[in-house]
Amino acid sequence: MRFLKEERLERVRCYQKIERQIRQMENEDEQEVLRLRYIKGLKWEEVALKMNYSRKQVHRIHSSALKSFKMT
């Protein structure tokens, strides 16, 4: 039971760290793509629909976001 609590706490810390890093990114579209895909767990089609972009454009933004994302 203690192990599960520690594991959950570690996941929360990791989530918070990722969210902080996303917030520090300059490009809002990049932030949104990363949040929708990795924090909210949406599929690529859902991300594109929510952002009013084509799936191809979302993938371009995602690629750029990964280059900009810095995990320390």
Side-chain angles (χ1 to χ4, degrees):
M1 188 72 148
R2 182 177 175 196
F3 173 75
L4 291 176
K5 285 182 183 180
E6 288 174 10
E7 191 172 296
R8 248 183 272 137
L9 183 58
E10 183 58 33
R11 276 195 218 140
V12 168
R13 286 184 186 132
C14 185
Y15 165 82
Q16 289 171 337
K17 186 175 184 179
I18 291 169
E19 181 59 41
R20 269 193 309 274
Q21 294 304 119
I22 290 173
R23 271 195 309 261
Q24 290 177 7
M25 295 174 70
E26 292 180 20
N27 186 298
E28 290 181 17
D29 283 340
E30 291 177 2
Q31 289 180 21
E32 189 66 7
V33 166
L34 294 181
R35 269 195 199 94
L36 292 173
R37 179 69 179 155
Y38 298 111
I39 303 295
K40 300 207 179 237
L42 298 183
K43 295 178 182 175
W44 289 116
E45 296 80 14
E46 295 170 317
V47 174
L49 187 64
K50 221 173 196 8
M51 293 184 71
N52 275 336
Y53 286 130
S54 69
R55 195 169 160 208
K56 189 173 185 176
Q57 184 63 23
V58 166
H59 280 290
R60 280 192 208 113
I61 294 168
H62 178 258
S63 177
S64 177
L66 292 182
K67 291 174 189 169
S68 302
F69 188 80
K70 304 231 184 327
M71 192 70 176
T72 56

